[in-house]
Amino acid sequence: MRLIILEDAGVVADWAARFVLQRITQFAPGPGRHFVLGLPTGGTPLGMYRRLIDFYKEGRLSFKYVTTFNMDEYVGLPRDHPESYHYYMWNEFFKHVDIDPGNAHVLDGNAADLVAECRRFEDLIAAAGGVHLFIGGIGPDGHIAFNEPGSSLVSRTRVKTLAYDTLEANKRFFGNDISKVPRQALTVGVGTVMDAKEVMILITGVHKSLALAKAVEEGVNHMWTVSAFQQHAQALFVCDEDATLELRVKTVKYFKALSEEHQKMIEGVPVDEQRVIH
Amino acid sequence: MKPKSGLTRFHNCYILRDSKIIKEDLWIRDGKIENPEQVFYVEQLQADLTVNCEGLLIAPGFIDIQINGGWGVDFSYDSDNVKEGVRKVAKELLAHGVTSFCPTMVTSDVEKYHKILPLIKKAEGGKHGATVLGVHLEGPFINIAKKGAHMEEYIRTPDKGLQTIEEVYGSLDNVVIITLAPELPGATAAIKELTDLGIKVALGHSTASLAEGEKGVECGANLITHLFNAMLPFHHRDPGLVGLLASTTKNQVFYGIISDGIHTHPAALRIASRTNPEGLVLVSDAVASQGLADGNYRIGPQLVTVEDGRAYVTGTKVLCGSTAALDACVATFKQSLDCSIEYALEAASLHPAKALGVDNKKGKLNFGFDADFVILNPENFKIASTWIAGECVFECDKK
């Protein structure tokens, strides 16, 4: 695992976007050779999307041969509801770039058969040849996608009932009325993300610092599902200074000392070799 | 090759939607405005054609519900080549961002109505010209005391309500608005009968008291014709038709305003718009000399001299009526009122659409609406291009 500690959320956004740019560019996607990207929603990745849109507008990056899979979606929320992840992805990313609509996959929380929808999503990922890079954010309780505390660490895409804390935290988006917050969501499983060749987790802000500490310093634990990525061969955590507040000084110093080397490696070494040069 | 989606996407633009100017692309297909999010996720299609708007603003096309003519054409006079006249004005209006209009006939003799009215048919717009929504008949059921420029000898009262009206006009098939004075004998019944037929009744050229005006509104009238002009001036004991702006009638009353910088004082514009902001409808009330170059003309029975774009009765300084097209009215209105760009534009698009009851398909850039719009510079309201049903019908020289 690598931990990249950067100054603030803005720098994290820029760094993550440049990382995606590099990954896609080196892969050299083309007809019949798509780069497959897993995507999150939420406040943390917003800055990254904006930078990616800039890269597209500057002509440095195209999504024409990129296939995307989003992590999750609420159940029963209209697609054009401002809190739906379809709405988020369309407004914050898809409509600004040249991605082919047929290649942008978001779980359909309004599908008649939700179980079949989850299976279809897993099949689509398999048919695309697996995910090259899965990007994720985490919740303050260390959940990745909607894999809330206690989720199986080998789980696959499924219907998940949301924790009361999550409803409580989200009610501000639904007129402060907890009864309006969807109680279920479709989400990729921890296992689904684990299958990606590479995983990048973005963590910013003080309120995520305990989760980062649990993810990095303690053992693999289903109560902090993001800790599962300790067992991933190519996992990268990118955080800001604020998110390190609950880490031990020793941990921060250790990763900061390595950081320069890691960053050089990420920039200079071809992606294929990065798997063997750590 | 991918199948053609038929979609056009306008990007690098701002659009006026839900009374706000937002940075957003506009998508159209088959003459209608599309929901691109739906197209993306459900149909999974991309646009065939992308139009770069270079940072300009897209607004709903202008709708002029009161226009007597222009470019030498007078809808009330030239009974020999009516169709040609309407076609000419419809075509010229495109350069002014007008995508729909109501050709307006002033008080005329019965013979003229019977000859001209059947020839001005409702017609879809396109490259040939703006959409004809239907005729606006201003008079002859008006009050002689407030006749303005209307010919006294033809003025009538609607004694027997709709019966008299049909006797005078003939078929009402092509008519969408009738301006009349509510205080006339038979007017109340006529308003009820006309509005039952789906024709909008506008109150004007009238000495009506507020009570008479309110009676008219209760009977179904929903418009006031060129507010302040040809009606009693506002009086605090009986505010007259002007008082309808603040009266407690159940339905929204709309009112036409000529904002050419001459017909209505800016302070009067502000009083009206602050009292009843949603009801304000910009109209050009333009006459035949609109759009003519400086020079001498014979328009109908009259000799007209155009100087610096203003039309005078030849040899006098008497103005012959408004010569400003609706785009110029919007610009003057914005400047006089110091209102928002959004409000000025909606006063010439959404408000007239609501007044006519066509705001389920025109006057907005919402999904499913007719793709009638203008691309303009929000600084000076200069029209870059005009579109009807998704087709570019006018484009300004880029020199």
Side-chain angles (χ1 to χ4, degrees), chain A residues 126-165:
Chain A
V131 175
H132 292 106
L133 171 65
F134 224 122
I135 304 164
I138 61 166
D141 61 3
H143 71 246
I144 176 137
F146 271 123
N147 294 288
E148 302 206 290
S151 291
S152 157
L153 299 185
V154 292
S155 54
R156 311 304 305 184
T157 303
R158 68 205 186 288
V159 187
K160 189 87 182 73
T161 303
L162 302 181
Y164 185 78
D165 280 357

mmCIF file of all heavy atoms in Angstrom, chain A residues 126-165:
data_model
loop_
_atom_site.group_PDB
_atom_site.id
_atom_site.type_symbol
_atom_site.label_atom_id
_atom_site.label_comp_id
_atom_site.label_asym_id
_atom_site.label_seq_id
_atom_site.Cartn_x
_atom_site.Cartn_y
_atom_site.Cartn_z
ATOM 1 N N ALA A 126 -17.186 -7.804 -15.834
ATOM 2 C CA ALA A 126 -16.426 -8.968 -16.326
ATOM 3 C C ALA A 126 -16.253 -8.878 -17.838
ATOM 4 O O ALA A 126 -15.160 -9.115 -18.374
ATOM 5 C CB ALA A 126 -17.148 -10.253 -15.935
ATOM 6 N N ALA A 127 -17.354 -8.497 -18.535
ATOM 7 C CA ALA A 127 -17.307 -8.426 -19.996
ATOM 8 C C ALA A 127 -16.340 -7.349 -20.459
ATOM 9 O O ALA A 127 -15.738 -7.439 -21.536
ATOM 10 C CB ALA A 127 -18.706 -8.154 -20.547
ATOM 11 N N ALA A 128 -16.176 -6.305 -19.628
ATOM 12 C CA ALA A 128 -15.247 -5.227 -19.988
ATOM 13 C C ALA A 128 -13.802 -5.638 -19.693
ATOM 14 O O ALA A 128 -12.865 -4.892 -19.957
ATOM 15 C CB ALA A 128 -15.609 -3.956 -19.226
ATOM 16 N N GLY A 129 -13.625 -6.825 -19.114
ATOM 17 C CA GLY A 129 -12.272 -7.305 -18.821
ATOM 18 C C GLY A 129 -11.777 -6.867 -17.458
ATOM 19 O O GLY A 129 -10.584 -6.872 -17.200
ATOM 20 N N GLY A 130 -12.685 -6.468 -16.582
ATOM 21 C CA GLY A 130 -12.266 -6.028 -15.247
ATOM 22 C C GLY A 130 -11.901 -4.556 -15.242
ATOM 23 O O GLY A 130 -11.744 -3.937 -16.295
ATOM 24 N N VAL A 131 -11.783 -4.026 -14.014
ATOM 25 C CA VAL A 131 -11.510 -2.587 -13.866
ATOM 26 C C VAL A 131 -10.002 -2.364 -13.773
ATOM 27 O O VAL A 131 -9.314 -3.023 -13.009
ATOM 28 C CB VAL A 131 -12.235 -2.042 -12.610
ATOM 29 C CG1 VAL A 131 -11.864 -0.589 -12.370
ATOM 30 C CG2 VAL A 131 -13.742 -2.215 -12.754
ATOM 31 N N HIS A 132 -9.496 -1.439 -14.574
ATOM 32 C CA HIS A 132 -8.067 -1.112 -14.486
ATOM 33 C C HIS A 132 -7.756 -0.286 -13.250
ATOM 34 O O HIS A 132 -6.788 -0.523 -12.551
ATOM 35 C CB HIS A 132 -7.628 -0.352 -15.738
ATOM 36 C CG HIS A 132 -7.650 -1.194 -16.964
ATOM 37 N ND1 HIS A 132 -8.605 -1.077 -17.942
ATOM 38 C CD2 HIS A 132 -6.832 -2.203 -17.357
ATOM 39 C CE1 HIS A 132 -8.381 -1.963 -18.899
ATOM 40 N NE2 HIS A 132 -7.320 -2.666 -18.564
ATOM 41 N N LEU A 133 -8.604 0.725 -13.036
ATOM 42 C CA LEU A 133 -8.382 1.594 -11.886
ATOM 43 C C LEU A 133 -9.716 1.913 -11.237
ATOM 44 O O LEU A 133 -10.605 2.470 -11.878
ATOM 45 C CB LEU A 133 -7.693 2.898 -12.339
ATOM 46 C CG LEU A 133 -7.593 4.008 -11.287
ATOM 47 C CD1 LEU A 133 -6.697 3.584 -10.114
ATOM 48 C CD2 LEU A 133 -7.045 5.291 -11.902
ATOM 49 N N PHE A 134 -9.856 1.522 -9.984
ATOM 50 C CA PHE A 134 -11.067 1.878 -9.242
ATOM 51 C C PHE A 134 -10.716 3.031 -8.315
ATOM 52 O O PHE A 134 -9.762 2.940 -7.550
ATOM 53 C CB PHE A 134 -11.587 0.679 -8.420
ATOM 54 C CG PHE A 134 -13.083 0.514 -8.523
ATOM 55 C CD1 PHE A 134 -13.635 -0.679 -8.995
ATOM 56 C CD2 PHE A 134 -13.933 1.558 -8.178
ATOM 57 C CE1 PHE A 134 -15.009 -0.826 -9.124
ATOM 58 C CE2 PHE A 134 -15.303 1.407 -8.309
ATOM 59 C CZ PHE A 134 -15.850 0.229 -8.783
ATOM 60 N N ILE A 135 -11.473 4.119 -8.419
ATOM 61 C CA ILE A 135 -11.255 5.258 -7.541
ATOM 62 C C ILE A 135 -12.381 5.268 -6.520
ATOM 63 O O ILE A 135 -13.544 5.056 -6.864
ATOM 64 C CB ILE A 135 -11.268 6.578 -8.338
ATOM 65 C CG1 ILE A 135 -10.230 6.517 -9.456
ATOM 66 C CG2 ILE A 135 -10.994 7.777 -7.431
ATOM 67 C CD1 ILE A 135 -10.409 7.574 -10.514
ATOM 68 N N GLY A 136 -12.023 5.513 -5.257
ATOM 69 C CA GLY A 136 -13.054 5.532 -4.242
ATOM 70 C C GLY A 136 -12.834 6.658 -3.250
ATOM 71 O O GLY A 136 -11.734 7.212 -3.135
ATOM 72 N N GLY A 137 -13.906 7.009 -2.556
ATOM 73 C CA GLY A 137 -13.787 7.873 -1.392
ATOM 74 C C GLY A 137 -14.242 7.034 -0.218
ATOM 75 O O GLY A 137 -14.651 5.890 -0.412
ATOM 76 N N ILE A 138 -14.196 7.582 0.982
ATOM 77 C CA ILE A 138 -14.697 6.810 2.116
ATOM 78 C C ILE A 138 -15.571 7.685 3.000
ATOM 79 O O ILE A 138 -15.490 8.907 2.962
ATOM 80 C CB ILE A 138 -13.571 6.193 2.976
ATOM 81 C CG1 ILE A 138 -12.690 7.293 3.572
ATOM 82 C CG2 ILE A 138 -12.762 5.198 2.183
ATOM 83 C CD1 ILE A 138 -11.801 6.770 4.686
ATOM 84 N N GLY A 139 -16.403 7.046 3.789
ATOM 85 C CA GLY A 139 -17.206 7.772 4.772
ATOM 86 C C GLY A 139 -16.441 7.885 6.065
ATOM 87 O O GLY A 139 -15.434 7.204 6.259
ATOM 88 N N PRO A 140 -16.911 8.746 6.967
ATOM 89 C CA PRO A 140 -16.234 8.914 8.267
ATOM 90 C C PRO A 140 -16.166 7.601 9.041
ATOM 91 O O PRO A 140 -15.300 7.439 9.896
ATOM 92 C CB PRO A 140 -17.121 9.923 9.006
ATOM 93 C CG PRO A 140 -17.917 10.610 7.939
ATOM 94 C CD PRO A 140 -18.079 9.623 6.830
ATOM 95 N N ASP A 141 -17.075 6.661 8.738
ATOM 96 C CA ASP A 141 -17.009 5.371 9.421
ATOM 97 C C ASP A 141 -16.219 4.349 8.611
ATOM 98 O O ASP A 141 -16.301 3.148 8.855
ATOM 99 C CB ASP A 141 -18.421 4.849 9.740
ATOM 100 C CG ASP A 141 -19.260 4.642 8.485
ATOM 101 O OD1 ASP A 141 -18.705 4.851 7.364
ATOM 102 O OD2 ASP A 141 -20.443 4.268 8.607
ATOM 103 N N GLY A 142 -15.470 4.835 7.652
ATOM 104 C CA GLY A 142 -14.574 3.959 6.905
ATOM 105 C C GLY A 142 -15.256 3.118 5.858
ATOM 106 O O GLY A 142 -14.679 2.156 5.348
ATOM 107 N N HIS A 143 -16.478 3.474 5.459
ATOM 108 C CA HIS A 143 -17.136 2.652 4.435
ATOM 109 C C HIS A 143 -16.684 3.064 3.043
ATOM 110 O O HIS A 143 -16.427 4.232 2.769
ATOM 111 C CB HIS A 143 -18.662 2.705 4.572
ATOM 112 C CG HIS A 143 -19.284 4.013 4.177
ATOM 113 N ND1 HIS A 143 -19.917 4.828 5.087
ATOM 114 C CD2 HIS A 143 -19.403 4.631 2.984
ATOM 115 C CE1 HIS A 143 -20.398 5.892 4.469
ATOM 116 N NE2 HIS A 143 -20.095 5.802 3.188
ATOM 117 N N ILE A 144 -16.573 2.081 2.192
ATOM 118 C CA ILE A 144 -16.242 2.347 0.799
ATOM 119 C C ILE A 144 -17.467 1.963 -0.023
ATOM 120 O O ILE A 144 -18.074 0.930 0.223
ATOM 121 C CB ILE A 144 -14.971 1.587 0.355
ATOM 122 C CG1 ILE A 144 -14.705 1.815 -1.128
ATOM 123 C CG2 ILE A 144 -15.046 0.108 0.657
ATOM 124 C CD1 ILE A 144 -13.271 2.062 -1.453
ATOM 125 N N ALA A 145 -17.831 2.844 -0.964
ATOM 126 C CA ALA A 145 -19.127 2.766 -1.633
ATOM 127 C C ALA A 145 -20.172 2.698 -0.521
ATOM 128 O O ALA A 145 -20.034 3.368 0.493
ATOM 129 C CB ALA A 145 -19.194 1.609 -2.616
ATOM 130 N N PHE A 146 -21.215 1.860 -0.650
ATOM 131 C CA PHE A 146 -22.164 1.748 0.471
ATOM 132 C C PHE A 146 -21.873 0.490 1.284
ATOM 133 O O PHE A 146 -22.772 -0.082 1.897
ATOM 134 C CB PHE A 146 -23.602 1.769 -0.042
ATOM 135 C CG PHE A 146 -24.176 3.160 -0.138
ATOM 136 C CD1 PHE A 146 -24.679 3.651 -1.334
ATOM 137 C CD2 PHE A 146 -24.210 3.992 0.984
ATOM 138 C CE1 PHE A 146 -25.218 4.931 -1.408
ATOM 139 C CE2 PHE A 146 -24.742 5.283 0.915
ATOM 140 C CZ PHE A 146 -25.249 5.749 -0.290
ATOM 141 N N ASN A 147 -20.612 0.073 1.314
ATOM 142 C CA ASN A 147 -20.242 -1.077 2.139
ATOM 143 C C ASN A 147 -20.001 -0.604 3.557
ATOM 144 O O ASN A 147 -18.880 -0.311 3.965
ATOM 145 C CB ASN A 147 -19.006 -1.762 1.569
ATOM 146 C CG ASN A 147 -19.306 -2.390 0.221
ATOM 147 O OD1 ASN A 147 -19.999 -3.403 0.140
ATOM 148 N ND2 ASN A 147 -18.828 -1.760 -0.836
ATOM 149 N N GLU A 148 -21.086 -0.518 4.279
ATOM 150 C CA GLU A 148 -21.032 0.075 5.599
ATOM 151 C C GLU A 148 -20.443 -0.913 6.607
ATOM 152 O O GLU A 148 -20.234 -2.084 6.291
ATOM 153 C CB GLU A 148 -22.445 0.500 5.974
ATOM 154 C CG GLU A 148 -22.963 1.480 4.935
ATOM 155 C CD GLU A 148 -24.016 2.400 5.470
ATOM 156 O OE1 GLU A 148 -25.123 1.947 5.752
ATOM 157 O OE2 GLU A 148 -23.708 3.577 5.604
ATOM 158 N N PRO A 149 -20.132 -0.400 7.817
ATOM 159 C CA PRO A 149 -19.489 -1.257 8.824
ATOM 160 C C PRO A 149 -20.177 -2.623 8.942
ATOM 161 O O PRO A 149 -21.411 -2.695 8.981
ATOM 162 C CB PRO A 149 -19.646 -0.448 10.114
ATOM 163 C CG PRO A 149 -19.650 0.972 9.641
ATOM 164 C CD PRO A 149 -20.340 0.957 8.316
ATOM 165 N N GLY A 150 -19.381 -3.638 8.967
ATOM 166 C CA GLY A 150 -19.926 -4.985 9.082
ATOM 167 C C GLY A 150 -20.157 -5.670 7.758
ATOM 168 O O GLY A 150 -20.502 -6.846 7.713
ATOM 169 N N SER A 151 -19.964 -4.951 6.663
ATOM 170 C CA SER A 151 -20.130 -5.578 5.347
ATOM 171 C C SER A 151 -19.057 -6.635 5.139
ATOM 172 O O SER A 151 -17.920 -6.478 5.588
ATOM 173 C CB SER A 151 -19.968 -4.537 4.232
ATOM 174 O OG SER A 151 -21.038 -3.635 4.230
ATOM 175 N N SER A 152 -19.463 -7.666 4.418
ATOM 176 C CA SER A 152 -18.488 -8.699 4.110
ATOM 177 C C SER A 152 -17.383 -8.125 3.253
ATOM 178 O O SER A 152 -17.628 -7.346 2.328
ATOM 179 C CB SER A 152 -19.177 -9.829 3.345
ATOM 180 O OG SER A 152 -18.206 -10.540 2.603
ATOM 181 N N LEU A 153 -16.160 -8.485 3.554
ATOM 182 C CA LEU A 153 -15.031 -7.955 2.797
ATOM 183 C C LEU A 153 -14.831 -8.695 1.473
ATOM 184 O O LEU A 153 -13.946 -8.359 0.707
ATOM 185 C CB LEU A 153 -13.761 -7.986 3.655
ATOM 186 C CG LEU A 153 -13.855 -7.141 4.939
ATOM 187 C CD1 LEU A 153 -12.508 -7.121 5.661
ATOM 188 C CD2 LEU A 153 -14.303 -5.703 4.654
ATOM 189 N N VAL A 154 -15.655 -9.727 1.248
ATOM 190 C CA VAL A 154 -15.587 -10.381 -0.072
ATOM 191 C C VAL A 154 -16.922 -10.185 -0.807
ATOM 192 O O VAL A 154 -17.239 -10.905 -1.736
ATOM 193 C CB VAL A 154 -15.260 -11.892 0.024
ATOM 194 C CG1 VAL A 154 -13.842 -12.080 0.528
ATOM 195 C CG2 VAL A 154 -16.260 -12.610 0.929
ATOM 196 N N SER A 155 -17.697 -9.191 -0.356
ATOM 197 C CA SER A 155 -19.026 -8.974 -0.944
ATOM 198 C C SER A 155 -18.937 -8.556 -2.405
ATOM 199 O O SER A 155 -17.917 -8.025 -2.860
ATOM 200 C CB SER A 155 -19.769 -7.896 -0.144
ATOM 201 O OG SER A 155 -18.963 -6.728 -0.062
ATOM 202 N N ARG A 156 -20.034 -8.855 -3.137
ATOM 203 C CA ARG A 156 -20.152 -8.452 -4.539
ATOM 204 C C ARG A 156 -21.248 -7.389 -4.643
ATOM 205 O O ARG A 156 -21.891 -7.042 -3.644
ATOM 206 C CB ARG A 156 -20.527 -9.653 -5.439
ATOM 207 C CG ARG A 156 -19.702 -10.902 -5.271
ATOM 208 C CD ARG A 156 -18.224 -10.692 -5.469
ATOM 209 N NE ARG A 156 -17.879 -10.086 -6.756
ATOM 210 C CZ ARG A 156 -16.624 -9.872 -7.168
ATOM 211 N NH1 ARG A 156 -15.592 -10.218 -6.384
ATOM 212 N NH2 ARG A 156 -16.386 -9.315 -8.323
ATOM 213 N N THR A 157 -21.519 -6.939 -5.841
ATOM 214 C CA THR A 157 -22.557 -5.932 -6.057
ATOM 215 C C THR A 157 -23.905 -6.443 -5.544
ATOM 216 O O THR A 157 -24.302 -7.561 -5.868
ATOM 217 C CB THR A 157 -22.650 -5.604 -7.552
ATOM 218 O OG1 THR A 157 -21.360 -5.176 -7.976
ATOM 219 C CG2 THR A 157 -23.665 -4.497 -7.811
ATOM 220 N N ARG A 158 -24.586 -5.622 -4.749
ATOM 221 C CA ARG A 158 -25.810 -6.092 -4.091
ATOM 222 C C ARG A 158 -26.659 -4.937 -3.587
ATOM 223 O O ARG A 158 -26.257 -3.783 -3.623
ATOM 224 C CB ARG A 158 -25.434 -7.008 -2.918
ATOM 225 C CG ARG A 158 -24.757 -6.256 -1.792
ATOM 226 C CD ARG A 158 -23.886 -7.195 -0.989
ATOM 227 N NE ARG A 158 -23.316 -6.562 0.192
ATOM 228 C CZ ARG A 158 -22.360 -5.656 0.175
ATOM 229 N NH1 ARG A 158 -21.882 -5.205 -0.978
ATOM 230 N NH2 ARG A 158 -21.886 -5.158 1.299
ATOM 231 N N VAL A 159 -27.866 -5.309 -3.096
ATOM 232 C CA VAL A 159 -28.758 -4.333 -2.471
ATOM 233 C C VAL A 159 -28.363 -4.223 -1.010
ATOM 234 O O VAL A 159 -28.204 -5.226 -0.332
ATOM 235 C CB VAL A 159 -30.233 -4.793 -2.557
ATOM 236 C CG1 VAL A 159 -31.172 -3.693 -2.070
ATOM 237 C CG2 VAL A 159 -30.589 -5.224 -3.970
ATOM 238 N N LYS A 160 -28.185 -2.993 -0.552
ATOM 239 C CA LYS A 160 -27.713 -2.827 0.823
ATOM 240 C C LYS A 160 -28.671 -1.918 1.584
ATOM 241 O O LYS A 160 -29.048 -0.848 1.092
ATOM 242 C CB LYS A 160 -26.315 -2.185 0.775
ATOM 243 C CG LYS A 160 -25.592 -2.140 2.095
ATOM 244 C CD LYS A 160 -24.812 -3.420 2.364
ATOM 245 C CE LYS A 160 -24.129 -3.393 3.723
ATOM 246 N NZ LYS A 160 -25.047 -3.552 4.858
ATOM 247 N N THR A 161 -29.058 -2.326 2.768
ATOM 248 C CA THR A 161 -29.877 -1.461 3.620
ATOM 249 C C THR A 161 -28.935 -0.505 4.334
ATOM 250 O O THR A 161 -27.885 -0.915 4.845
ATOM 251 C CB THR A 161 -30.660 -2.301 4.630
ATOM 252 O OG1 THR A 161 -31.440 -3.246 3.895
ATOM 253 C CG2 THR A 161 -31.576 -1.426 5.468
ATOM 254 N N LEU A 162 -29.319 0.770 4.347
ATOM 255 C CA LEU A 162 -28.396 1.771 4.876
ATOM 256 C C LEU A 162 -28.501 1.903 6.389
ATOM 257 O O LEU A 162 -29.577 1.760 6.967
ATOM 258 C CB LEU A 162 -28.674 3.126 4.217
ATOM 259 C CG LEU A 162 -28.564 3.119 2.693
ATOM 260 C CD1 LEU A 162 -28.837 4.498 2.123
ATOM 261 C CD2 LEU A 162 -27.181 2.632 2.251
ATOM 262 N N ALA A 163 -27.366 2.191 7.009
ATOM 263 C CA ALA A 163 -27.314 2.362 8.458
ATOM 264 C C ALA A 163 -28.055 3.635 8.851
ATOM 265 O O ALA A 163 -28.141 4.581 8.068
ATOM 266 C CB ALA A 163 -25.860 2.453 8.913
ATOM 267 N N TYR A 164 -28.584 3.643 10.050
ATOM 268 C CA TYR A 164 -29.317 4.815 10.526
ATOM 269 C C TYR A 164 -28.436 6.062 10.472
ATOM 270 O O TYR A 164 -28.885 7.144 10.089
ATOM 271 C CB TYR A 164 -29.823 4.581 11.955
ATOM 272 C CG TYR A 164 -30.675 5.721 12.435
ATOM 273 C CD1 TYR A 164 -32.006 5.846 12.023
ATOM 274 C CD2 TYR A 164 -30.141 6.720 13.263
ATOM 275 C CE1 TYR A 164 -32.786 6.918 12.421
ATOM 276 C CE2 TYR A 164 -30.922 7.802 13.672
ATOM 277 C CZ TYR A 164 -32.237 7.894 13.255
ATOM 278 O OH TYR A 164 -32.997 8.951 13.649
ATOM 279 N N ASP A 165 -27.159 5.909 10.825
ATOM 280 C CA ASP A 165 -26.222 7.046 10.800
ATOM 281 C C ASP A 165 -26.127 7.650 9.403
ATOM 282 O O ASP A 165 -26.012 8.866 9.253
ATOM 283 C CB ASP A 165 -24.820 6.587 11.225
ATOM 284 C CG ASP A 165 -24.707 6.476 12.746
ATOM 285 O OD1 ASP A 165 -25.710 6.814 13.429
ATOM 286 O OD2 ASP A 165 -23.633 6.069 13.228
#
